[in-house]
């Protein structure tokens, strides 16, 4: 009995230390998993798996708890990403990342806001799984190549090559013209006026000629089955039925993935969210998510950090 009384506090202390480290880095780990996966639901599952593995570690041997937790989360995210990619193969219509309602202060960290934006997450979708993980770990979380190598199971030299290839790939596809928060707000205000009033001229004024519109209903809600390209086509789409015009609609400006977005309600119920990609003051991408399974993070703010 005496040995049990002396061991029990020690075990409790170990659990308390493990919990403290995990809670300290939880938002970072979620953000890491979310950027690799583009799915908040799967990112939460990765956190659960990371915790279960973390509590089994001999914490006295861990010199850098942040790096160790990142390593676990990265490996779990990569496993889940391959499963997620198989699900996308049978997905109905375009697949868009799961949108997050984020706090206004996220936009103040320009690099973080850019890394979780819908536009960037769609760019990351074009990378191979290991490329995506390496890019996020290096460019967003600033890990050194040795740490990344341990996380992805590659040599440091291989990681350097992967990082170089991923940077070049992303650079060729990311928004080219820097846009201010004011330009993003102006774009969303034009969309809001078009939704609420049907007035399209202000929308046409800020749509790039080659703008691309994507909507994601997941086969559950009516949505586009393929991208719509061109300012006239996108404006016409908005005019004739991207939102139900025979119902009571409301449109609310919100922060989506670190930038301005619109929350659309139909008959008081959340119907979808809209985010845009703005380059040089013009909208080049419009992303409309209606799949109910992807809207669970819209009713409360999600904390992201790096």
């Amino acid at each position: 009995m005496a040995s049990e009384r002396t061991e029990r506090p020690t075990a409790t202390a170990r659990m308390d230390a493990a919990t403290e480290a995990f809670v300290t880095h939880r938002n970072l780990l979620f953000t890491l998993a979310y950027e690799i996966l583009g799915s908040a639901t799967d990112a939460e599952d990765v956190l659960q798996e990371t915790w279960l593995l973390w509590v089994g570690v001999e914490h006295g041997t861990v010199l850098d708890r942040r790096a160790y937790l990142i390593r676990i989360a990265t490996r779990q995210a990569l496993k889940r990403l391959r499963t997620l990619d198989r699900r996308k193969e049978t997905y109905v219509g375009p697949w868009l990342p799961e949108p997050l309602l984020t706090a206004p202060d996220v936009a103040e960290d320009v690099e973080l806001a850019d890394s979780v934006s819908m536009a960037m997450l769609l760019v990351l979708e074009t990378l191979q799984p290991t490329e995506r993980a390496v890019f996020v770990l290096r460019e967003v979380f600033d890990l050194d190549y040795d740490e990344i190598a341990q996380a992805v199971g590659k040599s440091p030299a291989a990681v350097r090559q992967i990082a170089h290839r991923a940077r070049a790939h992303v650079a060729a596809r990311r928004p080219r013209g820097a846009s201010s928060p004011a330009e993003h707000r102006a774009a969303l205000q034009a969309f809001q006026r078009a939704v609420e009033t049907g007035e399209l001229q202000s929308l046409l004024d800020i749509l790039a000629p080659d703008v691309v519109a994507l909507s994601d209903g997941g086969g559950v809600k009516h949505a586009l089955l393929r991208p719509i390209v061109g300012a006239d086509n996108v404006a016409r789409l908005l005019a004739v039925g991207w939102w139900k015009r025979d119902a009571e609609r409301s449109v609310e400006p919100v922060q989506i993935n670190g930038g301005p977005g619109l929350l659309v309600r139909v008959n008081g119920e959340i119907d979808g969210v809209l985010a845009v990609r703005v380059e040089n003051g013009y909208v080049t991408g419009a992303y409309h998510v209606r799949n109910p399974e992807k809207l669970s993070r819209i009713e409360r703010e999600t904390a992201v950090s790096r």
Side-chain angles (χ1 to χ4, degrees):
M1 294 294 293
S3 63
E4 288 182 3
R5 283 196 296 271
T6 56
E7 288 174 7
R8 201 167 290 154
T10 302
T12 301
R14 286 200 300 269
M15 180 59 74
D16 288 347
T19 302
E20 180 183 3
F22 185 82
V23 170
T24 297
H25 300 298
R26 187 190 188 285
N27 292 343
L28 178 154
L29 297 173
F30 171 84
T31 307
L32 166 68
Y34 175 70
E35 292 192 16
I36 292 175
L37 297 166
S39 164
T41 302
D42 287 281
E44 288 288 359
D45 288 342
V46 165
L47 284 189
Q48 180 66 21
E49 293 160 1
T50 300
W51 166 251
L52 292 174
L53 291 169
W54 171 243
V55 295
V57 170
E58 180 52 60
H59 299 105
T61 65
V62 177
L63 299 178
D64 186 337
R65 294 183 174 185
R66 176 181 182 270
Y68 201 98
L69 282 164
I70 286 176
R71 190 186 313 165
I72 297 174
T74 300
R75 290 175 178 174
Q76 296 308 306
L78 281 172
K79 288 180 183 178
R80 188 162 289 266
L81 181 58
R82 294 181 176 97
T83 301
L84 188 58
D85 285 343
R86 288 195 293 272
R87 295 208 306 260
K88 292 174 188 174
E89 292 174 2
T90 57
Y91 197 78
V92 178
W95 186 94
L96 290 175
E98 187 175 345
L100 306 178
L101 182 68
T102 51
D105 61 359
V106 172
E108 297 172 8
D109 185 337
V110 176
E111 291 183 358
L112 176 62
D114 177 65
S115 72
V116 298
S117 69
M118 295 287 279
M120 177 55 75
L121 291 174
L122 282 171
V123 172
L124 294 181
E125 281 291 310
T126 64
L127 295 174
Q128 295 298 314
T130 302
E131 290 178 335
R132 185 166 182 167
V134 168
F135 180 87
V136 170
L137 291 171
R138 181 64 181 170
E139 301 301 316
V140 181
F141 294 94
D142 198 30
L143 267 65
D144 64 39
Y145 291 112
D146 289 339
E147 290 177 301
I148 298 172
Q150 292 182 36
V152 300
K154 303 284 186 181
S155 70
V159 165
R160 286 179 181 273
Q161 293 181 334
I162 294 169
H164 176 75
R165 188 165 63 243
R167 275 196 299 271
H169 186 99
V170 171
R173 290 163 176 79
R174 74 191 311 165
R176 297 180 182 277
S179 296
S180 67
E183 288 173 323
H184 272 84
R185 285 193 296 271
L188 265 299
Q189 287 168 0
F191 269 95
Q192 184 171 353
R193 284 194 296 272
V195 173
E196 292 176 331
T197 69
E199 193 276 301
L200 297 181
Q201 188 55 53
S202 59
L203 182 60
L204 285 167
D205 290 342
I206 54 91
L207 292 177
D210 57 350
V211 61
V212 177
L214 299 170
S215 68
D216 178 345
V220 181
K221 287 286 192 77
H222 176 72
L224 305 173
L225 293 179
R226 60 186 62 85
I228 299 297
V229 182
D232 288 339
N233 292 332
V234 171
R236 192 178 308 116
L237 169 71
L238 194 63
V240 301
W242 210 355
W243 284 276
K244 297 177 182 177
R245 298 198 170 276
D246 57 349
E248 182 181 337
R249 288 169 294 109
S250 65
V251 185
E252 175 188 351
V254 290
Q255 286 285 318
I256 297 294
N257 288 60
L262 294 177
L263 173 62
V264 181
R265 296 181 188 271
V266 173
N267 295 329
E269 299 292 330
I270 293 177
D271 185 71
V273 297
L274 174 74
V276 296
R277 168 173 167 162
V278 181
E279 301 178 56
N280 296 316
Y282 290 93
V283 175
T284 57
Y287 314 119
H288 182 210
V289 180
R290 296 194 70 211
N291 184 349
E293 295 180 358
K294 293 187 176 183
L295 298 176
S296 62
R297 290 278 175 161
I298 298 304
E299 297 194 75
R300 66 186 189 279
E301 288 183 357
T302 296
V304 293
S305 67
R306 63 191 180 104

